[in-house]
Amino acid sequence: MRFGARLALAVTTLAVTATACGAPQDSGSRSRTTVDCAPYARYGEHPGTTVTVYAENRDREADLFEETWADFADCTGIHVSYEGDGEFEARIQVRVEGGNAPDVAFFPQPGLLERFARDGRLKPASAGVAALARQGWSADWNSYATVDGTLYGTPLVANVKSFVWYSPTFFRDKGLAVPRTWSELMALTEKVAASGVKPWCAGIESAEATGWPVTDWIEDVLLRRQGTRVYDQWVAHEIPFDDPRVIDAMDTVGSLLKNDRYANGGFGPARSMASISFQEAGTPVLSGDCAMHRQASFYAGLWPDGTEIGPDKDVYAFLLPGADPASRPVLGGGVFTAAFADRPEVRAFQEYLASADFANARMRKGPFVSANRGVDPANAATPVDRLSIQLLQDPRTQFRFDGSDLMPASVGAGTFWKGAVDWIGGASTRQVAHSIERSWPGR
Amino acid sequence: MNGVRERLASRALTTVAVLIAVLWTTPTLGLLLSSFRPEAEVKTTGWWTVFGAPHLTLDNYGEVLSGAGNGSGRLAEHFVNSVVITVPSVLFPLVLAFLAAYALAWIDFRGRDALVVGVFALQVVPLQMALVPLLKLFSEGWLFLPAWHLTGPARFGQVWFAHTAFALPFGVFLLHNFLAALPRELIEAARVDGASHRTLLLRIVLPLARPALVGFAVIQFLWVWNDLLVALTLSGGTAETAPMTVRLASLAGTYGNDWQRLTAGAFVAALVPLLVFFSLGRHLARGLLAGSVKG
């Protein structure tokens, strides 16, 4: 028994110490005098209340969010309890089914928001939030969070996807200029290939989402070659997935990505991109083994530590050009906030998130792009964020949302991804497009 | 002749066993070495290059454990949560399963066999199936049971409850088989001497059942310590209550680009199970055999 008694004692001590250490410390006691509460007066006082937030962003990005709304929390008395989860899309459904829905969720896909709105789980946006939404965002942006004419939330984050990352040093050394039209881009590609460097690098491995970088490529090129009308029809399935115009866009992408002469710089033959993770796919740009990498603005955070971003630094990005120098087709994505509760403190928090103040404060903390009209590009943390915001605010820009996020999930997050992998692996364009078309639900 | 063949066979077997052990441990060794390498090297070269150019650093561990800046690991906070979750989640089912196993093995009552079969059969219920109903029970109540409405650190209670409930069928099964195999004469002799159930339980059965109890405790400990699903769903996922596994899952960042931290994080998380395993491994081997051979 002596052994057992000692074990029991040890365990009890451990548990008691642990509970003592784990007791919540009063961290909300930051002196109010150091914070200027005047900008937050309009949100009212809600002492002792809690708003739970559930989103995909975790680690560093989660910290940046929490730091941004810390003053708001101090001044209004609302405790914002944030939870970031990589399995957001699967687990939000478990939580909502189980009656444990968060007060506010950040939806990375409009389709998911729409599903909960149709199920009657989401609360429509309050009058205050709706007013801020109209003031801050274009009708296009608000339409992504609108279901059957009812607004449910506001855009939070914007991603510009149509960027081509390159090394300004490499371009200078080789005497290359940033292309302003699609044909200049093609000429540039050929010129780099002729000099013995593979011009493009890409990687499409992304765990269960493997394939998505290729779907972005195809969407981007379709938007450029056929314009917004055909793009919208394709996304809404008013024209079939394997329409000849879509096949043409895919073949154009294929002439770059499925071409061993043009890809996969720094990694090997073109089909190697199926096993390269999208996170590391751009690194050969730094070593000069690859000239260009098409990836969204968020790739700014994925370069190795110490990489400097700017027009005359290690890496920079240009907009994937359109047919002529004046056109600005931009493919992008976004994250939307919506609420499962409509308590006063939840509405206050939503209003804060919908304000330009929040977006500006968040941008000063680190890389972040918002499509809010009130955002000042000068606050952008990186030159690419500034470029993104300028593009989003430019009236000539034709912004279109990432099509695969708007298509039914079984296609946009299923057969389109899988088809993209097969296609890179050698399957013919026609065959892949037909099989995706056949998988469209309710066809 | 027989002796030679046996010796040869055992030598061959030993070689194969050692070979498998080496193969099995190599990736872990690689991970361990990687955890001491600087980020830039982890991401560019394989762990074996460390033998050629040893640049060792504790940066990964420092970053993962504490660190005040953005995006540091802060595993230390979650380590405490892991302990708070694990200890009761081991003790509750241990005590309950022991009492239940004793009753099922040595107290005669009507319907006992059906109850035993019923408890055993519960083992086939997959945990994943019960998550949504459990969440509903906690948030909305069920039949006459009220909703729990737990917030903050009180949510540990949900996790303890779930782990206890999921551990009981296996615990009762394991301990029942072990206790039922105790010699009948021993129990009966004690009864003849006038021992009550209390005395029997504490003086006779408990000391005898120690290997099985420790075995079950270690298995349950490892299961709870390594559990992600239950903790993720029921603990709330904030720094207040989430255990280390939840933190580990998000350690690599939203885009998975900080994966070098996982090397150090994995070893921080594995430290306690390793200690438990090495200090109680002796009992575990015995406990694993518990109830496997009857009579």
Side-chain angles (χ1 to χ4, degrees):
Chain A
M1 273 311 283
R2 282 190 52 211
F3 168 77
R6 251 185 305 138
L7 183 70
L9 187 69
V11 162
T12 324
T13 326
L14 199 61
V16 170
T17 350
T19 326
C21 299
Q25 288 122 16
D26 188 17
S27 56
S29 57
R30 262 197 315 146
S31 162
R32 275 193 169 206
T33 51
T34 58
V35 177
D36 175 19
C37 280
Y40 302 101
R42 73 176 89 145
Y43 304 111
E45 299 252 337
H46 308 267
T49 55
T50 299
V51 173
T52 57
V53 182
Y54 186 53
E56 200 172 33
N57 306 75
R58 46 203 187 277
D59 206 66
R60 186 177 149 73
E61 291 192 32
D63 290 347
L64 291 174
F65 272 140
E66 292 190 307
E67 285 170 23
T68 306
W69 59 57
D71 287 351
F72 166 83
D74 278 355
C75 292
T76 56
I78 300 174
H79 173 65
V80 181
S81 167
Y82 179 86
E83 182 182 352
D85 182 359
E87 302 290 317
F88 175 87
E89 281 156 50
R91 284 223 309 129
I92 182 80
Q93 294 173 49
V94 173
R95 289 188 55 166
V96 172
E97 284 300 310
N100 192 23
D103 294 330
V104 175
F106 298 170
F107 289 96
Q109 289 179 343
L112 203 59
L113 183 148
E114 186 186 324
R115 171 143 31 118
F116 286 117
R118 286 197 196 283
D119 286 351
R121 307 278 194 176
L122 287 174
K123 304 286 184 212
S126 67
V129 172
L132 283 166
R134 276 193 303 275
Q135 182 194 333
W137 285 275
S138 66
D140 267 355
W141 273 96
N142 283 325
S143 72
Y144 302 126
T146 303
V147 180
D148 294 338
T150 311
L151 182 76
Y152 283 89
T154 51
L156 182 75
V157 186
N159 278 321
V160 172
K161 299 203 167 199
S162 308
F163 276 133
V164 177
W165 291 86
Y166 71 104
S167 155
T169 332
F170 179 89
F171 268 46
R172 200 178 51 236
D173 292 351
K174 295 248 173 192
L176 307 169
V178 168
R180 289 165 305 145
T181 64
W182 186 261
S183 47
E184 280 182 27
L185 181 74
M186 289 298 151
L188 174 70
T189 299
E190 183 48 44
K191 192 173 170 191
V192 173
S195 78
V197 174
K198 288 192 182 184
W200 293 95
C201 44
I204 65 171
E205 190 277 325
S206 174
E208 63 269 35
T210 297
W212 69 260
V214 172
T215 67
D216 284 5
W217 256 107
I218 294 169
E219 290 159 13
D220 241 344
V221 172
L222 180 68
L223 191 58
R224 276 159 183 73
R225 290 181 74 84
Q226 305 295 344
T228 50
R229 211 171 58 86
V230 172
Y231 180 84
D232 291 342
Q233 289 173 337
W234 174 67
V235 171
H237 206 229
E238 285 157 14
I239 60 170
F241 194 99
D242 53 357
D243 186 274
R245 289 165 291 190
V246 182
I247 302 261
D248 162 77
M250 285 179 77
D251 280 336
T252 310
V253 177
S255 70
L256 298 172
L257 293 191
K258 292 179 76 172
N259 183 341
D260 282 336
R261 222 166 87 76
Y262 291 166
N264 190 6
F267 295 109
R271 61 202 315 173
S272 70
M273 63 186 66
S275 60
I276 306 293
S277 78
F278 78 92
Q279 291 100 329
E280 59 170 322
T283 42
V285 169
L286 289 173
S287 59
D289 293 318
C290 154
M292 292 173 284
H293 178 58
R294 198 219 71 103
Q295 190 52 281
S297 51
F298 71 73
Y299 202 80
L302 299 191
W303 294 103
D305 282 348
T307 307
E308 288 192 74
I309 298 169
D312 44 7
K313 300 280 174 52
D314 301 332
V315 286
Y316 196 50
F318 58 83
L319 181 71
L320 189 69
D324 59 83
S327 71
R328 298 264 188 290
V330 170
L331 184 77
V335 177
F336 299 83
T337 68
F340 290 93
D342 55 2
R343 302 192 306 275
E345 63 270 22
V346 178
R347 285 203 296 269
F349 183 61
Q350 273 195 296
E351 285 175 23
Y352 175 58
L353 291 180
S355 69
D357 291 347
F358 170 78
N360 280 314
R362 172 63 187 79
M363 277 163 54
R364 279 192 286 268
K365 302 267 178 202
F368 184 79
V369 174
S370 168
N372 194 306
R373 291 190 191 110
V375 158
D376 181 359
N379 288 329
T382 71
V384 169
D385 280 2
R386 193 168 309 130
L387 191 60
S388 302
I389 293 165
Q390 282 161 352
L391 280 171
L392 289 170
Q393 294 181 343
D394 187 337
R396 284 174 302 174
T397 294
Q398 296 166 300
F399 181 86
R400 280 298 176 272
F401 208 87
D402 183 346
S404 56
D405 282 350
L406 299 174
M407 292 175 182
S410 61
V411 177
T415 51
F416 197 2
W417 289 347
K418 290 194 188 72
V421 177
D422 294 343
W423 186 63
I424 289 297
S428 80
T429 305
R430 225 160 264 285
Q431 195 186 332
V432 168
H434 286 324
S435 75
I436 298 171
E437 168 61 18
R438 275 195 302 276
S439 73
W440 202 284
R443 173 182 162 266
Chain B
M1 192 58 189
N2 246 345
V4 173
R5 189 184 289 168
E6 254 174 36
R7 236 178 297 148
L8 268 179
S10 80
R11 191 171 297 164
L13 276 179
T14 314
T15 318
V16 170
V18 168
L19 206 67
I20 290 175
V22 168
L23 277 178
W24 203 260
T25 341
T26 309
T28 317
L29 177 75
L31 196 67
L32 182 66
L33 290 174
S34 291
S35 71
F36 290 107
R37 303 178 69 214
E39 179 189 346
E41 289 188 28
V42 175
K43 283 185 168 168
T44 47
T45 55
W47 57 266
W48 47 90
T49 50
V50 81
F51 298 115
H55 298 131
L56 298 182
T57 165
L58 284 174
D59 284 359
N60 289 335
Y61 284 91
E63 196 180 317
V64 156
L65 270 176
S66 50
N70 280 330
S72 57
R74 283 170 309 213
L75 269 186
E77 288 173 39
H78 295 265
F79 184 91
V80 172
N81 292 341
S82 272
V83 174
V84 175
I85 284 177
T86 310
V87 173
S89 300
V90 171
L91 290 182
F92 292 160
L94 192 67
V95 172
L96 290 174
F98 177 64
L99 295 176
Y102 173 78
L104 291 172
W106 293 107
I107 301 177
D108 274 316
F109 57 90
R110 268 173 50 140
R112 184 178 76 167
D113 292 342
L115 198 61
V116 172
V117 172
V119 170
F120 292 176
L122 277 179
Q123 287 185 74
V124 305
V125 178
L127 194 157
Q128 290 84 344
M129 237 175 68
L131 286 180
V132 170
L134 260 181
L135 270 175
K136 272 196 172 151
L137 167 70
F138 294 141
S139 62
E140 296 163 10
W142 182 65
L143 295 181
F144 56 91
L145 295 168
W148 290 27
H149 290 310
L150 299 179
T151 50
R155 299 178 81 171
F156 282 127
Q158 298 183 357
V159 187
W160 294 338
F161 180 86
H163 277 306
T164 306
F166 286 121
L168 277 177
F170 175 67
V172 173
F173 168 77
L174 184 89
L175 295 177
H176 171 269
N177 282 6
F178 188 85
L179 295 189
L182 292 177
R184 177 162 287 274
E185 299 78 19
L186 191 69
I187 308 288
E188 276 170 1
R191 276 196 192 141
V192 169
D193 286 345
S196 64
H197 277 306
R198 210 184 97 112
T199 323
L200 250 176
L201 196 67
L202 292 179
R203 293 274 174 80
I204 313 249
V205 178
L206 186 63
L208 286 172
R210 209 176 73 189
L213 287 174
V214 175
F216 173 63
V218 172
I219 294 171
Q220 173 69 4
F221 173 85
L222 293 177
W223 163 255
V224 175
W225 188 268
N226 291 330
D227 161 77
L228 173 66
L229 187 66
V230 172
L232 202 57
T233 314
L234 299 176
S235 80
T238 55
E240 245 176 356
T241 45
M244 264 203 288
T245 44
V246 171
R247 181 63 205 157
L248 268 182
S250 61
L251 204 57
T254 307
Y255 300 107
N257 50 317
D258 276 328
W259 58 266
Q260 85 283 353
R261 291 176 176 177
L262 293 178
T263 56
F267 280 95
V268 172
L271 191 69
V272 172
L274 282 176
L275 282 178
V276 168
F277 192 82
F278 284 127
S279 58
L280 298 176
R282 219 158 26 94
H283 299 276
L284 180 65
R286 259 190 279 163
L288 280 178
L289 292 174
S292 58
V293 275
K294 209 166 179 183

